[in-house]
Amino acid sequence: AVAAVAADDAAAASGAADAKLRANLARAKLARLEALEISDGLGLRGLGVAASRAGTLASLTATAAPVGAAATLVPGVGPVLAASLAALVASYALSWELLDPYFDKKGFGYEQQDKIMWSNRFALCAFAAPFTVALAVPLFGPFATAVAQGAAGTALWRVLEPDDVDAGEGE
């Protein structure tokens, strides 16, 4: 009976610590959100960043296009490989475009954006792949844009800004 009471006390203490951690995480997220809302963004500097991003994506496409064309010559699986490569490049570009408002509000320059995108490329391409397909569907595609933008916010919190607040922070 004493062991059961001790276990109940330990569970209650653990529950209280979890509740405190969740409260700290919620405060940290609200603080980050408020900082983004009041940010002016990049302003005119954003045009240069957008031009750099466009150059990077154009060179990625220019590199992938001949590879995709050569892949179509492989009997059987070639067209599938080429389509997969095209979808991968499009997903990478779309994920960068969907996160552009966040990057702008954070004031990230091109180098910072490129570093973030490249270090999270697998997760971000996997996130954007379904939207890449949905946006390619005539008449339906434009309606998927709002869903993609909303989902980008969720991807942002889950991939780029995970909950990493310590239990003792914010006291």
Side-chain angles (χ1 to χ4, degrees):
V2 173
V5 170
D8 287 344
D9 288 344
S14 174
D18 287 344
K20 187 175 182 181
L21 176 62
R22 281 191 298 272
N24 285 338
L25 290 173
R27 279 196 299 274
K29 279 189 174 182
L30 284 174
R32 290 189 308 218
L33 181 62
E34 288 171 359
L36 283 174
E37 285 178 342
I38 62 171
S39 172
D40 289 334
L42 291 174
L44 289 178
R45 185 172 147 233
L47 294 175
V49 171
S52 297
R53 180 178 60 247
T56 297
L57 296 175
S59 63
L60 177 63
T61 302
T63 303
V67 174
T72 60
L73 301 175
V74 177
V77 296
V80 174
L81 289 173
S84 299
L85 180 62
L88 182 65
V89 171
S91 296
Y92 185 75
L94 179 63
S95 64
W96 202 335
E97 289 299 323
L98 289 173
L99 293 174
D100 184 51
Y102 166 75
F103 290 147
D104 184 56
K105 283 293 209 173
K106 288 288 270 192
F108 288 166
Y110 168 75
E111 291 80 17
Q112 290 172 296
Q113 291 181 25
D114 189 42
K115 182 180 176 188
I116 290 169
M117 290 300 299
W118 191 251
S119 64
N120 295 291
R121 65 189 174 275
F122 297 114
L124 293 173
C125 284
F127 155 74
F131 296 111
T132 302
V133 173
L135 291 171
V137 176
L139 300 177
F140 172 75
F143 296 110
T145 304
V147 177
Q149 282 289 337
T154 300
L156 170 75
W157 290 117
R158 303 267 190 229
V159 176
L160 300 181
E161 291 196 10
D163 294 332
D164 55 2
V165 179
D166 294 329
E169 187 176 306
E171 291 181 21

